[in-house]
Amino acid sequence: EVQLVQSGAEVKKPGESLKISCKGSGYSFTSYWIGWVRQMPGKGLEWMGIIYPGDSDTRYSPSFQGQVTISADKSISTAYLQWSSLKASDTAMYYCARLSEGWFDPWGQGTLVTVSS
Amino acid sequence: NFMLTQPHSVSESPGKTVTISCTRSSGSIASNYVQWYQQRPGSAPTTVIYEDNQRPSGVPDRFSGSIDSSSNSASLTISGLKTEDEADYYCQSYDSSNPVVFGGGTKLTVL
């Protein structure tokens, strides 16, 4: 079974750093792009960026370029999304998903990030 | 860059048929496949239609997708509505410059 399992919920203070993860299993992790999607409370889906774990080629949405860093460790089939200095406006649910032929499937279960002083 | 525009909300009664539209702002809707995702409250999105009109295994045939070049839009049609279909639905496409574009989402109420 193809599966993406994300790390657990996080509560952080403004200015702190954070790295969340997404572990793939059941398929060749290096052969598919992995994407990250933000969903702010009560809002829609926003594409943040994608990474190809095979060679770490990364593309960012212009809205998120410079705001986050996407990386992957193919030796452990895991993709990451990280912030160097969180803001309250980063409070959201974050999903990873496998990108195959232009569509996302499957999706991870989501990681809730709460940033509050 | 192009945008995908969806109605904010639609509602229909159980057993009826509802159609959700997704209009592409520039470029041809037929140039790149359109996908549809269902997101129930408190859950991650799941795919109900991919490549314009293909259903993943496990998705009932009450769900169908189509594209209309004349209106430059895609549609998701759900027939025989059930209360369990109440969810948010998102269309998604791409092009050579934009790997991922999501529509704003449509809240389906089955009342």
Side-chain angles (χ1 to χ4, degrees):
Chain A
E1 178 194 8
V2 177
Q3 201 172 8
L4 296 173
V5 178
Q6 298 185 229
S7 49
E10 301 274 0
V11 179
K12 292 289 190 179
K13 290 181 166 46
E16 291 186 332
S17 63
L18 176 64
K19 191 173 189 178
I20 63 175
S21 67
C22 168
K23 183 173 175 61
S25 62
Y27 73 100
S28 174
F29 187 73
T30 54
S31 300
Y32 293 84
W33 292 83
I34 292 281
W36 286 96
V37 175
R38 183 176 78 174
Q39 187 168 40
M40 298 178 76
K43 301 298 184 183
L45 304 175
E46 301 175 271
W47 166 64
M48 302 177 73
I50 54 174
I51 186 166
Y52 191 76
D55 60 7
S56 292
D57 185 12
T58 309
R59 320 274 174 89
Y60 291 94
S61 162
S63 300
F64 292 92
Q65 179 82 48
Q67 307 304 307
V68 297
T69 301
I70 293 171
S71 61
D73 184 341
K74 60 185 179 183
S75 69
I76 54 172
S77 301
T78 301
Y80 301 97
L81 176 65
Q82 69 181 89
W83 296 259
S84 59
S85 181
L86 286 161
K87 303 183 286 288
S89 57
D90 293 317
T91 294
M93 182 71 81
Y94 293 88
Y95 295 102
C96 66
R98 188 181 75 166
L99 186 64
S100 175
E101 304 293 331
W103 57 293
F104 284 123
D105 191 85
W107 294 64
Q109 82 277 20
T111 296
L112 180 62
V113 174
T114 303
V115 183
S116 174
S117 54
Chain B
N1 288 4
F2 69 93
M3 295 191 304
L4 297 172
T5 300
Q6 302 179 231
H8 182 69
S9 63
V10 295
S11 61
E12 191 49 271
S13 302
K16 300 291 190 179
T17 296
V18 71
T19 297
I20 300 171
S21 63
C22 170
T23 301
R24 180 166 171 160
S25 62
S26 61
S28 172
I29 192 72
S31 296
N32 309 97
Y33 287 127
V34 175
Q35 283 64 237
W36 291 90
Y37 305 101
Q38 176 192 67
Q39 187 179 33
R40 294 192 173 108
S43 296
T46 60
T47 310
V48 291
I49 294 290
Y50 67 96
E51 294 181 354
D52 296 343
N53 54 19
Q54 301 299 302
R55 275 180 291 106
S57 60
V59 174
D61 59 7
R62 301 185 297 106
F63 289 80
S64 62
S66 63
I67 62 167
D68 179 357
S69 295
S70 66
S71 59
N72 214 36
S73 65
S75 293
L76 172 69
T77 299
I78 310 171
S79 60
L81 274 169
K82 300 184 176 186
T83 54
E84 68 203 46
D85 298 330
E86 188 162 289
D88 293 326
Y89 291 86
Y90 296 89
C91 61
Q92 175 259 315
S93 191
Y94 54 91
D95 67 12
S96 58
S97 302
N98 305 282
V100 181
V101 178
F102 284 111
T106 299
K107 181 178 178 60
L108 169 62
T109 301
V110 181
L111 34 65

